[in-house]
Amino acid sequence: MTDWKSRLGMVYSTDPDFRYTTDEPCEEPTPPPARQSLRVWLDRKQRAGKVVTLVRGFRGTAADLEELGRMLKQRCGVGGSAKEGEIIIQGDHRDRVVEILLRAGYGCKRAGN
């Protein structure tokens, strides 16, 4: 199945060997944990006063971000999400998240208040 919307600006070609390619951004490979520099924040803005722990600064693929978020949520025993290079853990779990990340070999620091 072809995605016709990605070809809207395409002009007809008479070349029989022409192959249409899109300029899809490729994800950068995930560096090893020791080369990551993560920051752990505590945030309650625009969350109806509820506190969340934010892990920012992850570089790598979305699948690896989801896997790290899943591991942190399981070890803390809470819910959350992982998207756009940021992991959200429900509640104030800064100290525990920093400890888990350091044990896993990630470069990590507490940030904020």
Side-chain angles (χ1 to χ4, degrees):
M1 183 174 167
T2 60
D3 184 17
W4 62 271
K5 288 184 180 180
S6 66
R7 296 191 205 187
L8 285 177
M10 176 67 178
V11 178
Y12 181 76
S13 174
T14 58
D15 183 9
D17 296 325
F18 179 75
R19 298 284 179 238
Y20 181 76
T21 58
T22 59
D23 295 331
E24 295 178 10
C26 60
E27 290 183 313
E28 67 179 71
T30 305
R35 302 220 35 211
Q36 297 274 0
S37 177
L38 303 178
R39 303 279 184 200
V40 181
W41 299 76
L42 194 63
D43 188 29
R44 62 175 55 108
K45 293 179 183 172
Q46 298 179 352
R47 303 185 197 283
K50 306 217 181 200
V51 177
V52 296
T53 303
L54 297 176
V55 179
R56 293 182 177 162
F58 183 84
R59 295 185 331 261
T61 64
D64 291 337
L65 177 69
E66 288 287 332
E67 183 62 33
L68 180 61
R70 185 178 305 117
M71 188 249 317
L72 290 174
K73 292 187 294 184
Q74 284 177 349
R75 297 239 178 117
C76 291
V78 295
S81 67
K83 58 186 172 187
E84 299 174 5
E86 182 176 82
I87 300 171
I88 301 171
I89 305 292
Q90 294 174 352
D92 183 1
H93 296 282
R94 261 189 310 188
D95 297 329
R96 185 166 181 146
V97 167
V98 169
E99 179 184 327
I100 292 167
L101 290 172
L102 289 175
R103 284 188 183 170
Y106 285 91
C108 177
K109 291 183 182 179
R110 277 181 64 156
N113 298 339

